[in-house]
Amino acid sequence: MAGSTVDGYIPASGAVQNDQELEDIFQGLIVGITSLPGAMVRPRWQNDPPPLPGIDKNWCAFGVKNTSSDDGPYFQQNKEDMDNIRHESIEVLLSFYGPQGQHFASLFKDGLGIPQNIARIRAHKIKFTGCGEILTAPDFLNNQYVHRYDMTATFNRQVKRSYATKTFESFQINIKRN
């Protein structure tokens, strides 16, 4: 593995929850707060999506819409590596469908204000920071209009990646005088 003792790029190490792992965290949060069944809280974008629920079913589609990072990461030099620590803002787009879609959207929004509800995401260094308005956005699915309520919830998190850069323990300088 490349590091600061050899020429070349230094890849990052360290587990950062993205993609499926991040979706699993947000799905658990939505299911926990709304009490919708897990199968009825679905990632918005899937390679092989299951059939859409009927219009008489309440369900939620969600997805990470935007991730932005601060411009100035913090670097912490350790003996064997260096940590790059950034803060990210994550916007999650949620669409609640069904005859009680607005109820579940409001339930989720209100539930994000309860400290015990958001304690589980804090274990992943994720913090809830705000929620936008609930927008009525009827959708045309399966040749009929269905109830849909959209909202965006914003979260911040700390991301830490490590790089194999060693500290100088000693060095020697030779000065030649002519």
Side-chain angles (χ1 to χ4, degrees), residues 56-92:
D56 60 331
K57 302 289 184 197
N58 295 302
W59 63 286
C60 175
F62 72 96
V64 173
K65 177 174 96 167
N66 184 38
T67 303
S68 58
S69 300
D70 60 1
D71 290 334
Y74 169 73
F75 295 99
Q76 179 178 330
Q77 184 66 55
N78 306 310
K79 186 172 182 176
E80 294 296 319
D81 62 8
M82 178 181 62
D83 294 332
N84 173 333
I85 300 169
R86 279 192 182 271
H87 292 92
E88 293 181 336
S89 177
I90 301 170
E91 291 182 351
V92 178

PDB file of all heavy atoms in Angstrom, residues 56-92:
ATOM      1  N   ASP A  56     -54.313   2.505  -2.280  1.00  0.00           N
ATOM      2  CA  ASP A  56     -54.899   2.428  -0.939  1.00  0.00           C
ATOM      3  C   ASP A  56     -53.841   2.149   0.140  1.00  0.00           C
ATOM      4  O   ASP A  56     -54.168   2.021   1.312  1.00  0.00           O
ATOM      5  CB  ASP A  56     -55.974   1.345  -0.901  1.00  0.00           C
ATOM      6  CG  ASP A  56     -55.422  -0.026  -1.243  1.00  0.00           C
ATOM      7  OD1 ASP A  56     -54.435  -0.104  -2.013  1.00  0.00           O
ATOM      8  OD2 ASP A  56     -55.969  -1.031  -0.746  1.00  0.00           O
ATOM      9  N   LYS A  57     -52.563   2.070  -0.245  1.00  0.00           N
ATOM     10  CA  LYS A  57     -51.475   1.767   0.695  1.00  0.00           C
ATOM     11  C   LYS A  57     -50.679   3.034   1.013  1.00  0.00           C
ATOM     12  O   LYS A  57     -50.436   3.865   0.134  1.00  0.00           O
ATOM     13  CB  LYS A  57     -50.517   0.726   0.105  1.00  0.00           C
ATOM     14  CG  LYS A  57     -51.170  -0.578  -0.280  1.00  0.00           C
ATOM     15  CD  LYS A  57     -51.574  -1.335   0.946  1.00  0.00           C
ATOM     16  CE  LYS A  57     -52.135  -2.697   0.530  1.00  0.00           C
ATOM     17  NZ  LYS A  57     -52.893  -3.323   1.547  1.00  0.00           N
ATOM     18  N   ASN A  58     -50.264   3.160   2.250  1.00  0.00           N
ATOM     19  CA  ASN A  58     -49.382   4.254   2.662  1.00  0.00           C
ATOM     20  C   ASN A  58     -47.940   3.774   2.569  1.00  0.00           C
ATOM     21  O   ASN A  58     -47.611   2.689   3.053  1.00  0.00           O
ATOM     22  CB  ASN A  58     -49.696   4.664   4.109  1.00  0.00           C
ATOM     23  CG  ASN A  58     -51.080   5.245   4.239  1.00  0.00           C
ATOM     24  OD1 ASN A  58     -51.411   6.223   3.585  1.00  0.00           O
ATOM     25  ND2 ASN A  58     -51.907   4.622   5.074  1.00  0.00           N
ATOM     26  N   TRP A  59     -47.105   4.583   1.932  1.00  0.00           N
ATOM     27  CA  TRP A  59     -45.701   4.212   1.787  1.00  0.00           C
ATOM     28  C   TRP A  59     -44.853   5.451   1.565  1.00  0.00           C
ATOM     29  O   TRP A  59     -45.364   6.553   1.371  1.00  0.00           O
ATOM     30  CB  TRP A  59     -45.513   3.177   0.686  1.00  0.00           C
ATOM     31  CG  TRP A  59     -45.885   3.612  -0.719  1.00  0.00           C
ATOM     32  CD1 TRP A  59     -47.144   3.782  -1.218  1.00  0.00           C
ATOM     33  CD2 TRP A  59     -44.986   3.893  -1.782  1.00  0.00           C
ATOM     34  NE1 TRP A  59     -47.078   4.158  -2.530  1.00  0.00           N
ATOM     35  CE2 TRP A  59     -45.766   4.235  -2.913  1.00  0.00           C
ATOM     36  CE3 TRP A  59     -43.603   3.880  -1.903  1.00  0.00           C
ATOM     37  CZ2 TRP A  59     -45.206   4.566  -4.139  1.00  0.00           C
ATOM     38  CZ3 TRP A  59     -43.034   4.205  -3.128  1.00  0.00           C
ATOM     39  CH2 TRP A  59     -43.832   4.541  -4.227  1.00  0.00           C
ATOM     40  N   CYS A  60     -43.542   5.266   1.599  1.00  0.00           N
ATOM     41  CA  CYS A  60     -42.595   6.373   1.467  1.00  0.00           C
ATOM     42  C   CYS A  60     -41.463   5.983   0.525  1.00  0.00           C
ATOM     43  O   CYS A  60     -40.939   4.868   0.592  1.00  0.00           O
ATOM     44  CB  CYS A  60     -42.018   6.722   2.844  1.00  0.00           C
ATOM     45  SG  CYS A  60     -40.730   7.981   2.815  1.00  0.00           S
ATOM     46  N   ALA A  61     -41.107   6.917  -0.359  1.00  0.00           N
ATOM     47  CA  ALA A  61     -39.900   6.790  -1.186  1.00  0.00           C
ATOM     48  C   ALA A  61     -38.933   7.868  -0.698  1.00  0.00           C
ATOM     49  O   ALA A  61     -39.338   9.004  -0.450  1.00  0.00           O
ATOM     50  CB  ALA A  61     -40.229   6.982  -2.655  1.00  0.00           C
ATOM     51  N   PHE A  62     -37.669   7.525  -0.547  1.00  0.00           N
ATOM     52  CA  PHE A  62     -36.689   8.488  -0.055  1.00  0.00           C
ATOM     53  C   PHE A  62     -35.383   8.327  -0.813  1.00  0.00           C
ATOM     54  O   PHE A  62     -35.104   7.277  -1.392  1.00  0.00           O
ATOM     55  CB  PHE A  62     -36.456   8.307   1.451  1.00  0.00           C
ATOM     56  CG  PHE A  62     -35.671   7.062   1.778  1.00  0.00           C
ATOM     57  CD1 PHE A  62     -34.307   7.118   1.968  1.00  0.00           C
ATOM     58  CD2 PHE A  62     -36.300   5.831   1.869  1.00  0.00           C
ATOM     59  CE1 PHE A  62     -33.580   5.965   2.243  1.00  0.00           C
ATOM     60  CE2 PHE A  62     -35.593   4.670   2.144  1.00  0.00           C
ATOM     61  CZ  PHE A  62     -34.224   4.745   2.336  1.00  0.00           C
ATOM     62  N   GLY A  63     -34.588   9.366  -0.827  1.00  0.00           N
ATOM     63  CA  GLY A  63     -33.285   9.297  -1.464  1.00  0.00           C
ATOM     64  C   GLY A  63     -32.434  10.494  -1.091  1.00  0.00           C
ATOM     65  O   GLY A  63     -32.945  11.585  -0.847  1.00  0.00           O
ATOM     66  N   VAL A  64     -31.116  10.265  -1.055  1.00  0.00           N
ATOM     67  CA  VAL A  64     -30.185  11.355  -0.808  1.00  0.00           C
ATOM     68  C   VAL A  64     -30.155  12.209  -2.070  1.00  0.00           C
ATOM     69  O   VAL A  64     -29.762  11.747  -3.134  1.00  0.00           O
ATOM     70  CB  VAL A  64     -28.778  10.828  -0.447  1.00  0.00           C
ATOM     71  CG1 VAL A  64     -27.779  11.970  -0.350  1.00  0.00           C
ATOM     72  CG2 VAL A  64     -28.830  10.044   0.856  1.00  0.00           C
ATOM     73  N   LYS A  65     -30.638  13.439  -1.934  1.00  0.00           N
ATOM     74  CA  LYS A  65     -30.773  14.349  -3.067  1.00  0.00           C
ATOM     75  C   LYS A  65     -29.497  15.145  -3.294  1.00  0.00           C
ATOM     76  O   LYS A  65     -29.112  15.411  -4.429  1.00  0.00           O
ATOM     77  CB  LYS A  65     -31.950  15.285  -2.802  1.00  0.00           C
ATOM     78  CG  LYS A  65     -32.194  16.339  -3.852  1.00  0.00           C
ATOM     79  CD  LYS A  65     -33.466  17.102  -3.552  1.00  0.00           C
ATOM     80  CE  LYS A  65     -33.158  18.364  -2.807  1.00  0.00           C
ATOM     81  NZ  LYS A  65     -34.271  19.305  -2.745  1.00  0.00           N
ATOM     82  N   ASN A  66     -28.838  15.528  -2.211  1.00  0.00           N
ATOM     83  CA  ASN A  66     -27.681  16.404  -2.333  1.00  0.00           C
ATOM     84  C   ASN A  66     -26.763  16.201  -1.137  1.00  0.00           C
ATOM     85  O   ASN A  66     -27.224  16.047  -0.018  1.00  0.00           O
ATOM     86  CB  ASN A  66     -28.170  17.865  -2.382  1.00  0.00           C
ATOM     87  CG  ASN A  66     -27.054  18.854  -2.603  1.00  0.00           C
ATOM     88  OD1 ASN A  66     -26.129  18.597  -3.348  1.00  0.00           O
ATOM     89  ND2 ASN A  66     -27.137  19.984  -1.931  1.00  0.00           N
ATOM     90  N   THR A  67     -25.467  16.200  -1.405  1.00  0.00           N
ATOM     91  CA  THR A  67     -24.468  16.157  -0.350  1.00  0.00           C
ATOM     92  C   THR A  67     -23.457  17.254  -0.641  1.00  0.00           C
ATOM     93  O   THR A  67     -22.895  17.296  -1.733  1.00  0.00           O
ATOM     94  CB  THR A  67     -23.747  14.795  -0.304  1.00  0.00           C
ATOM     95  OG1 THR A  67     -24.718  13.764  -0.126  1.00  0.00           O
ATOM     96  CG2 THR A  67     -22.742  14.730   0.822  1.00  0.00           C
ATOM     97  N   SER A  68     -23.253  18.136   0.313  1.00  0.00           N
ATOM     98  CA  SER A  68     -22.245  19.186   0.130  1.00  0.00           C
ATOM     99  C   SER A  68     -21.294  19.167   1.315  1.00  0.00           C
ATOM    100  O   SER A  68     -21.697  18.902   2.451  1.00  0.00           O
ATOM    101  CB  SER A  68     -22.911  20.558  -0.025  1.00  0.00           C
ATOM    102  OG  SER A  68     -23.704  20.860   1.091  1.00  0.00           O
ATOM    103  N   SER A  69     -20.031  19.426   1.026  1.00  0.00           N
ATOM    104  CA  SER A  69     -18.987  19.383   2.055  1.00  0.00           C
ATOM    105  C   SER A  69     -18.488  20.776   2.358  1.00  0.00           C
ATOM    106  O   SER A  69     -18.524  21.660   1.498  1.00  0.00           O
ATOM    107  CB  SER A  69     -17.801  18.546   1.571  1.00  0.00           C
ATOM    108  OG  SER A  69     -18.194  17.236   1.290  1.00  0.00           O
ATOM    109  N   ASP A  70     -17.974  20.941   3.583  1.00  0.00           N
ATOM    110  CA  ASP A  70     -17.328  22.209   3.893  1.00  0.00           C
ATOM    111  C   ASP A  70     -16.052  22.318   3.065  1.00  0.00           C
ATOM    112  O   ASP A  70     -15.493  21.318   2.603  1.00  0.00           O
ATOM    113  CB  ASP A  70     -17.062  22.344   5.387  1.00  0.00           C
ATOM    114  CG  ASP A  70     -16.167  21.247   5.949  1.00  0.00           C
ATOM    115  OD1 ASP A  70     -15.721  20.374   5.196  1.00  0.00           O
ATOM    116  OD2 ASP A  70     -15.930  21.254   7.170  1.00  0.00           O
ATOM    117  N   ASP A  71     -15.596  23.534   2.850  1.00  0.00           N
ATOM    118  CA  ASP A  71     -14.430  23.753   1.988  1.00  0.00           C
ATOM    119  C   ASP A  71     -13.101  23.514   2.687  1.00  0.00           C
ATOM    120  O   ASP A  71     -12.089  23.330   2.031  1.00  0.00           O
ATOM    121  CB  ASP A  71     -14.451  25.180   1.428  1.00  0.00           C
ATOM    122  CG  ASP A  71     -15.550  25.370   0.410  1.00  0.00           C
ATOM    123  OD1 ASP A  71     -15.955  24.373  -0.212  1.00  0.00           O
ATOM    124  OD2 ASP A  71     -16.002  26.508   0.244  1.00  0.00           O
ATOM    125  N   GLY A  72     -13.103  23.534   3.981  1.00  0.00           N
ATOM    126  CA  GLY A  72     -11.841  23.423   4.699  1.00  0.00           C
ATOM    127  C   GLY A  72     -11.798  22.245   5.635  1.00  0.00           C
ATOM    128  O   GLY A  72     -12.216  22.358   6.785  1.00  0.00           O
ATOM    129  N   PRO A  73     -11.292  21.098   5.183  1.00  0.00           N
ATOM    130  CA  PRO A  73     -11.208  19.959   6.103  1.00  0.00           C
ATOM    131  C   PRO A  73     -10.171  20.225   7.195  1.00  0.00           C
ATOM    132  O   PRO A  73      -9.255  21.014   7.033  1.00  0.00           O
ATOM    133  CB  PRO A  73     -10.767  18.804   5.201  1.00  0.00           C
ATOM    134  CG  PRO A  73     -10.058  19.455   4.074  1.00  0.00           C
ATOM    135  CD  PRO A  73     -10.729  20.780   3.868  1.00  0.00           C
ATOM    136  N   TYR A  74     -10.345  19.528   8.302  1.00  0.00           N
ATOM    137  CA  TYR A  74      -9.408  19.584   9.416  1.00  0.00           C
ATOM    138  C   TYR A  74      -8.475  18.391   9.275  1.00  0.00           C
ATOM    139  O   TYR A  74      -8.926  17.272   9.026  1.00  0.00           O
ATOM    140  CB  TYR A  74     -10.178  19.521  10.734  1.00  0.00           C
ATOM    141  CG  TYR A  74      -9.310  19.307  11.953  1.00  0.00           C
ATOM    142  CD1 TYR A  74      -8.511  20.327  12.448  1.00  0.00           C
ATOM    143  CD2 TYR A  74      -9.291  18.076  12.599  1.00  0.00           C
ATOM    144  CE1 TYR A  74      -7.720  20.132  13.562  1.00  0.00           C
ATOM    145  CE2 TYR A  74      -8.494  17.871  13.716  1.00  0.00           C
ATOM    146  CZ  TYR A  74      -7.719  18.911  14.193  1.00  0.00           C
ATOM    147  OH  TYR A  74      -6.926  18.710  15.288  1.00  0.00           O
ATOM    148  N   PHE A  75      -7.188  18.617   9.422  1.00  0.00           N
ATOM    149  CA  PHE A  75      -6.212  17.529   9.337  1.00  0.00           C
ATOM    150  C   PHE A  75      -5.613  17.301  10.714  1.00  0.00           C
ATOM    151  O   PHE A  75      -5.196  18.246  11.386  1.00  0.00           O
ATOM    152  CB  PHE A  75      -5.095  17.864   8.346  1.00  0.00           C
ATOM    153  CG  PHE A  75      -5.573  17.986   6.935  1.00  0.00           C
ATOM    154  CD1 PHE A  75      -5.823  19.228   6.375  1.00  0.00           C
ATOM    155  CD2 PHE A  75      -5.796  16.856   6.171  1.00  0.00           C
ATOM    156  CE1 PHE A  75      -6.275  19.342   5.078  1.00  0.00           C
ATOM    157  CE2 PHE A  75      -6.257  16.957   4.866  1.00  0.00           C
ATOM    158  CZ  PHE A  75      -6.499  18.210   4.316  1.00  0.00           C
ATOM    159  N   GLN A  76      -5.588  16.035  11.115  1.00  0.00           N
ATOM    160  CA  GLN A  76      -5.003  15.668  12.403  1.00  0.00           C
ATOM    161  C   GLN A  76      -3.904  14.660  12.132  1.00  0.00           C
ATOM    162  O   GLN A  76      -4.174  13.541  11.671  1.00  0.00           O
ATOM    163  CB  GLN A  76      -6.073  15.067  13.306  1.00  0.00           C
ATOM    164  CG  GLN A  76      -5.546  14.636  14.645  1.00  0.00           C
ATOM    165  CD  GLN A  76      -6.650  14.079  15.530  1.00  0.00           C
ATOM    166  OE1 GLN A  76      -7.796  14.487  15.427  1.00  0.00           O
ATOM    167  NE2 GLN A  76      -6.290  13.160  16.405  1.00  0.00           N
ATOM    168  N   GLN A  77      -2.675  15.039  12.399  1.00  0.00           N
ATOM    169  CA  GLN A  77      -1.537  14.147  12.158  1.00  0.00           C
ATOM    170  C   GLN A  77      -1.350  13.227  13.351  1.00  0.00           C
ATOM    171  O   GLN A  77      -1.250  13.676  14.491  1.00  0.00           O
ATOM    172  CB  GLN A  77      -0.261  14.954  11.915  1.00  0.00           C
ATOM    173  CG  GLN A  77       0.935  14.094  11.565  1.00  0.00           C
ATOM    174  CD  GLN A  77       0.791  13.390  10.221  1.00  0.00           C
ATOM    175  OE1 GLN A  77       0.562  14.020   9.211  1.00  0.00           O
ATOM    176  NE2 GLN A  77       0.938  12.073  10.217  1.00  0.00           N
ATOM    177  N   ASN A  78      -1.356  11.932  13.092  1.00  0.00           N
ATOM    178  CA  ASN A  78      -1.081  10.918  14.097  1.00  0.00           C
ATOM    179  C   ASN A  78       0.295  10.337  13.801  1.00  0.00           C
ATOM    180  O   ASN A  78       0.924  10.695  12.801  1.00  0.00           O
ATOM    181  CB  ASN A  78      -2.154   9.827  14.058  1.00  0.00           C
ATOM    182  CG  ASN A  78      -3.550  10.411  14.174  1.00  0.00           C
ATOM    183  OD1 ASN A  78      -3.831  11.198  15.059  1.00  0.00           O
ATOM    184  ND2 ASN A  78      -4.422  10.052  13.240  1.00  0.00           N
ATOM    185  N   LYS A  79       0.761   9.416  14.624  1.00  0.00           N
ATOM    186  CA  LYS A  79       2.098   8.852  14.407  1.00  0.00           C
ATOM    187  C   LYS A  79       2.177   8.061  13.095  1.00  0.00           C
ATOM    188  O   LYS A  79       3.120   8.203  12.334  1.00  0.00           O
ATOM    189  CB  LYS A  79       2.492   7.965  15.581  1.00  0.00           C
ATOM    190  CG  LYS A  79       3.903   7.459  15.487  1.00  0.00           C
ATOM    191  CD  LYS A  79       4.354   6.747  16.729  1.00  0.00           C
ATOM    192  CE  LYS A  79       5.793   6.317  16.576  1.00  0.00           C
ATOM    193  NZ  LYS A  79       6.320   5.718  17.770  1.00  0.00           N
ATOM    194  N   GLU A  80       1.173   7.226  12.818  1.00  0.00           N
ATOM    195  CA  GLU A  80       1.215   6.348  11.649  1.00  0.00           C
ATOM    196  C   GLU A  80       0.371   6.824  10.466  1.00  0.00           C
ATOM    197  O   GLU A  80       0.489   6.289   9.378  1.00  0.00           O
ATOM    198  CB  GLU A  80       0.766   4.937  12.040  1.00  0.00           C
ATOM    199  CG  GLU A  80       1.704   4.242  12.997  1.00  0.00           C
ATOM    200  CD  GLU A  80       3.076   3.979  12.399  1.00  0.00           C
ATOM    201  OE1 GLU A  80       3.158   3.595  11.222  1.00  0.00           O
ATOM    202  OE2 GLU A  80       4.070   4.185  13.119  1.00  0.00           O
ATOM    203  N   ASP A  81      -0.520   7.788  10.712  1.00  0.00           N
ATOM    204  CA  ASP A  81      -1.375   8.257   9.617  1.00  0.00           C
ATOM    205  C   ASP A  81      -1.876   9.664   9.909  1.00  0.00           C
ATOM    206  O   ASP A  81      -1.589  10.240  10.949  1.00  0.00           O
ATOM    207  CB  ASP A  81      -2.545   7.307   9.378  1.00  0.00           C
ATOM    208  CG  ASP A  81      -3.485   7.186  10.564  1.00  0.00           C
ATOM    209  OD1 ASP A  81      -3.328   7.941  11.539  1.00  0.00           O
ATOM    210  OD2 ASP A  81      -4.392   6.351  10.518  1.00  0.00           O
ATOM    211  N   MET A  82      -2.594  10.218   8.941  1.00  0.00           N
ATOM    212  CA  MET A  82      -3.183  11.537   9.095  1.00  0.00           C
ATOM    213  C   MET A  82      -4.681  11.414   8.827  1.00  0.00           C
ATOM    214  O   MET A  82      -5.096  10.775   7.863  1.00  0.00           O
ATOM    215  CB  MET A  82      -2.575  12.518   8.097  1.00  0.00           C
ATOM    216  CG  MET A  82      -3.192  13.907   8.170  1.00  0.00           C
ATOM    217  SD  MET A  82      -2.500  15.043   6.963  1.00  0.00           S
ATOM    218  CE  MET A  82      -2.951  14.252   5.438  1.00  0.00           C
ATOM    219  N   ASP A  83      -5.492  12.008   9.709  1.00  0.00           N
ATOM    220  CA  ASP A  83      -6.940  11.995   9.529  1.00  0.00           C
ATOM    221  C   ASP A  83      -7.385  13.269   8.831  1.00  0.00           C
ATOM    222  O   ASP A  83      -6.940  14.364   9.178  1.00  0.00           O
ATOM    223  CB  ASP A  83      -7.658  11.881  10.874  1.00  0.00           C
ATOM    224  CG  ASP A  83      -7.411  10.557  11.556  1.00  0.00           C
ATOM    225  OD1 ASP A  83      -7.160   9.559  10.844  1.00  0.00           O
ATOM    226  OD2 ASP A  83      -7.458  10.510  12.802  1.00  0.00           O
ATOM    227  N   ASN A  84      -8.262  13.110   7.852  1.00  0.00           N
ATOM    228  CA  ASN A  84      -8.909  14.220   7.159  1.00  0.00           C
ATOM    229  C   ASN A  84     -10.352  14.220   7.662  1.00  0.00           C
ATOM    230  O   ASN A  84     -11.083  13.261   7.438  1.00  0.00           O
ATOM    231  CB  ASN A  84      -8.830  13.974   5.650  1.00  0.00           C
ATOM    232  CG  ASN A  84      -9.617  14.969   4.837  1.00  0.00           C
ATOM    233  OD1 ASN A  84     -10.594  15.553   5.292  1.00  0.00           O
ATOM    234  ND2 ASN A  84      -9.220  15.133   3.587  1.00  0.00           N
ATOM    235  N   ILE A  85     -10.757  15.276   8.344  1.00  0.00           N
ATOM    236  CA  ILE A  85     -12.094  15.336   8.939  1.00  0.00           C
ATOM    237  C   ILE A  85     -12.868  16.476   8.273  1.00  0.00           C
ATOM    238  O   ILE A  85     -12.412  17.614   8.256  1.00  0.00           O
ATOM    239  CB  ILE A  85     -12.011  15.556  10.462  1.00  0.00           C
ATOM    240  CG1 ILE A  85     -11.228  14.398  11.103  1.00  0.00           C
ATOM    241  CG2 ILE A  85     -13.403  15.682  11.063  1.00  0.00           C
ATOM    242  CD1 ILE A  85     -10.845  14.618  12.538  1.00  0.00           C
ATOM    243  N   ARG A  86     -14.013  16.131   7.705  1.00  0.00           N
ATOM    244  CA  ARG A  86     -14.883  17.096   7.035  1.00  0.00           C
ATOM    245  C   ARG A  86     -16.272  17.026   7.646  1.00  0.00           C
ATOM    246  O   ARG A  86     -16.641  16.051   8.263  1.00  0.00           O
ATOM    247  CB  ARG A  86     -15.058  16.738   5.557  1.00  0.00           C
ATOM    248  CG  ARG A  86     -13.975  17.140   4.668  1.00  0.00           C
ATOM    249  CD  ARG A  86     -14.441  16.979   3.221  1.00  0.00           C
ATOM    250  NE  ARG A  86     -13.394  17.320   2.323  1.00  0.00           N
ATOM    251  CZ  ARG A  86     -13.182  18.548   1.862  1.00  0.00           C
ATOM    252  NH1 ARG A  86     -13.969  19.521   2.205  1.00  0.00           N
ATOM    253  NH2 ARG A  86     -12.188  18.790   1.051  1.00  0.00           N
ATOM    254  N   HIS A  87     -17.045  18.059   7.366  1.00  0.00           N
ATOM    255  CA  HIS A  87     -18.452  18.055   7.725  1.00  0.00           C
ATOM    256  C   HIS A  87     -19.265  18.161   6.456  1.00  0.00           C
ATOM    257  O   HIS A  87     -18.937  18.947   5.570  1.00  0.00           O
ATOM    258  CB  HIS A  87     -18.767  19.193   8.702  1.00  0.00           C
ATOM    259  CG  HIS A  87     -18.116  18.971  10.027  1.00  0.00           C
ATOM    260  ND1 HIS A  87     -16.876  19.468  10.342  1.00  0.00           N
ATOM    261  CD2 HIS A  87     -18.517  18.256  11.093  1.00  0.00           C
ATOM    262  CE1 HIS A  87     -16.555  19.080  11.559  1.00  0.00           C
ATOM    263  NE2 HIS A  87     -17.529  18.339  12.046  1.00  0.00           N
ATOM    264  N   GLU A  88     -20.278  17.331   6.345  1.00  0.00           N
ATOM    265  CA  GLU A  88     -21.136  17.302   5.170  1.00  0.00           C
ATOM    266  C   GLU A  88     -22.564  17.648   5.561  1.00  0.00           C
ATOM    267  O   GLU A  88     -23.013  17.326   6.652  1.00  0.00           O
ATOM    268  CB  GLU A  88     -21.155  15.910   4.544  1.00  0.00           C
ATOM    269  CG  GLU A  88     -19.872  15.464   3.940  1.00  0.00           C
ATOM    270  CD  GLU A  88     -19.967  14.087   3.311  1.00  0.00           C
ATOM    271  OE1 GLU A  88     -20.841  13.282   3.709  1.00  0.00           O
ATOM    272  OE2 GLU A  88     -19.146  13.800   2.438  1.00  0.00           O
ATOM    273  N   SER A  89     -23.258  18.263   4.637  1.00  0.00           N
ATOM    274  CA  SER A  89     -24.692  18.482   4.763  1.00  0.00           C
ATOM    275  C   SER A  89     -25.367  17.538   3.770  1.00  0.00           C
ATOM    276  O   SER A  89     -24.997  17.501   2.591  1.00  0.00           O
ATOM    277  CB  SER A  89     -25.019  19.942   4.435  1.00  0.00           C
ATOM    278  OG  SER A  89     -26.406  20.147   4.490  1.00  0.00           O
ATOM    279  N   ILE A  90     -26.332  16.773   4.248  1.00  0.00           N
ATOM    280  CA  ILE A  90     -27.021  15.782   3.416  1.00  0.00           C
ATOM    281  C   ILE A  90     -28.497  16.143   3.362  1.00  0.00           C
ATOM    282  O   ILE A  90     -29.145  16.275   4.398  1.00  0.00           O
ATOM    283  CB  ILE A  90     -26.871  14.363   4.008  1.00  0.00           C
ATOM    284  CG1 ILE A  90     -25.400  13.984   4.118  1.00  0.00           C
ATOM    285  CG2 ILE A  90     -27.635  13.339   3.169  1.00  0.00           C
ATOM    286  CD1 ILE A  90     -25.160  12.717   4.912  1.00  0.00           C
ATOM    287  N   GLU A  91     -29.020  16.308   2.141  1.00  0.00           N
ATOM    288  CA  GLU A  91     -30.445  16.567   1.961  1.00  0.00           C
ATOM    289  C   GLU A  91     -31.114  15.285   1.497  1.00  0.00           C
ATOM    290  O   GLU A  91     -30.706  14.690   0.503  1.00  0.00           O
ATOM    291  CB  GLU A  91     -30.678  17.663   0.928  1.00  0.00           C
ATOM    292  CG  GLU A  91     -30.239  19.034   1.391  1.00  0.00           C
ATOM    293  CD  GLU A  91     -30.522  20.105   0.353  1.00  0.00           C
ATOM    294  OE1 GLU A  91     -30.909  19.778  -0.786  1.00  0.00           O
ATOM    295  OE2 GLU A  91     -30.340  21.282   0.691  1.00  0.00           O
ATOM    296  N   VAL A  92     -32.131  14.866   2.237  1.00  0.00           N
ATOM    297  CA  VAL A  92     -32.873  13.653   1.910  1.00  0.00           C
ATOM    298  C   VAL A  92     -34.263  14.063   1.429  1.00  0.00           C
ATOM    299  O   VAL A  92     -34.991  14.753   2.148  1.00  0.00           O
ATOM    300  CB  VAL A  92     -32.971  12.710   3.128  1.00  0.00           C
ATOM    301  CG1 VAL A  92     -33.789  11.468   2.789  1.00  0.00           C
ATOM    302  CG2 VAL A  92     -31.579  12.328   3.621  1.00  0.00           C
TER     303      VAL A  92
END
